[in-house]
Amino acid sequence: MDLFTSLAQKITGKDQTIVFPEGTEPRIVGAAVRLAADGLVKPIILGATDKVQAVAKDLQADLSGVQVLDPVTYPAADKQAMLDALVERRKGKNTPEQAAKMLEDENYFGTMLVYMGKADGMVSGAVHATGDTVRPALQIIKTKPGSHRISGAFIMQKGDERYVFADCAINIDPDADTLAEIATQSAHTAKIFDIDPKVAMLSFSTKGSAKGDMVTKVQEATAKAQAAAPDLAIDGEMQFDAAFVEKVGLQKAPGSKVAGHANVFVFPELQSGNIGYKIAQRFGGFEAVGPILQGLNKPVSDLSRGASEEDVYKVAIITAAQGLA
């Protein structure tokens, strides 16, 4: 079954509410209207009502299934409750005056809607940089219990093939602890997308075939991930061919439950992860869906600023599915 057909079935009827802070962006409005019309999520668009309506008119789109919420005219009592919650959440790091200023930023406002349970997830980034989306999420929603950091994964799909690549978006040079956490986070993400995770910790070495600090880091990360999640199939360190090609896996890592069968690939640092997913996308013809932010208490998704309306539509579906996981 197609990935998004499967996810759509999961979220239909679950009334997941997704907030879109960039309410005057045509790609956002178009996707939100489609999501509502298809009965997949209940969209909240942030922005001045007249401006959002003007965008919808230009698109000839029907906003009847979409809630348009203007932060400027948000009811005073609700805004005060949001302000109090933000000040408390920041635990003395921001004054009430600073918090009020923060809430003028639509990403902070949208993040607070998620934090306070008025929305199940947030999708932003069509016109904002990654930091503008991620920073409020880290400050307010924070990481899941037991998690210490977030990471970014891509679902790579082509036909019946479906894989997880991580981290391709967030951690520039993760240490062994971070790599181990990325591995377990990515396995959890794989399950959301109906992938039975077999996690390969990638390196230029397979089972000690090469030496060096970079190899040692992946070896340590593998041991930490295996200890943290003994129920998961995680193995490494291994080269990509050993992880992916059964014949090579049998030669280089005999006895491994992952070698030759991996479907979740954890890269040793961001540079190789970013290069790897783009090679698969451009040379291999895979669709790269993401980045999917992993490790947050509640789902927040960061769009590429080059995202199309279709991308926004799909990322919202993913975000709603994460909210049910």
Side-chain angles (χ1 to χ4, degrees), residues 210-291:
K211 305 296 181 184
D213 292 343
M214 290 182 287
V215 175
T216 300
K217 179 179 78 169
V218 179
Q219 291 171 339
E220 291 176 353
T222 301
K224 289 174 182 288
Q226 290 170 337
D231 58 315
L232 293 174
I234 301 173
D235 202 3
E237 90 288 7
M238 63 180 65
Q239 294 156 288
F240 184 83
D241 58 351
F244 190 67
V245 181
E246 185 173 9
K247 183 177 180 180
V248 179
L250 287 171
Q251 292 174 337
K252 292 188 174 185
S256 172
K257 295 180 180 179
V258 172
H261 304 284
N263 49 27
V264 178
F265 301 93
V266 177
F267 291 83
E269 30 70 31
L270 182 60
Q271 185 166 241
S272 59
N274 186 272
I275 292 168
Y277 99 78
K278 289 185 176 180
I279 288 175
Q281 181 184 38
R282 301 300 179 179
F283 277 9
F286 277 81
E287 179 184 8
V289 180

